[in-house]
Amino acid sequence: AVNMSAPNMEERKACWGARDELWECLERNNEDAAKCQHLRLSFESKCPQQWIKYFDRRRDYLKYKKKLENEGYSPPETTGKS
């Protein structure tokens, strides 16, 4: 169990390292979470719960942003129809 006090420098480094490895793995494997499961478990064991939620949201946001940059923004077809 991760204690709820703020992680010290060492713990933060371990958490960030695990996160970076996981994210790199996902990128290499075209977001195939199954291939990165071991890194996911490592990430979850090294980071506080709130951080995991935050980083997951952050990654989704960054992926979304990248997608928009790559594909350009197109509004959904339903706009303007009621």
Side-chain angles (χ1 to χ4, degrees):
V2 180
N3 70 26
M4 284 288 112
S5 65
N8 65 31
M9 195 60 211
E10 211 115 301
E11 290 167 331
R12 280 202 299 269
K13 277 196 183 129
C15 172
W16 291 333
R19 174 203 63 191
D20 292 346
E21 282 180 18
L22 173 62
W23 286 13
E24 279 167 27
C25 176
L26 288 167
E27 246 148 62
R28 275 199 314 275
N29 291 290
N30 205 19
E31 302 303 319
D32 183 350
K35 289 188 176 145
C36 306
Q37 190 56 31
H38 60 296
L39 292 172
R40 177 80 205 177
L41 295 172
S42 166
F43 168 62
E44 289 181 2
S45 72
K46 288 175 182 164
C47 299
Q49 193 58 49
Q50 311 92 301
W51 288 30
I52 294 168
K53 287 197 185 106
Y54 169 78
F55 286 141
D56 284 346
R57 278 202 304 268
R58 175 112 188 106
R59 181 162 165 75
D60 285 341
Y61 169 72
L62 293 171
K63 277 196 315 216
Y64 176 69
K65 223 176 87 171
K66 198 170 171 186
K67 189 172 186 252
L68 289 185
E69 283 162 11
N70 292 344
E71 297 170 16
Y73 175 72
S74 52
E77 290 301 310
T78 54
T79 319
K81 298 186 194 123
S82 52

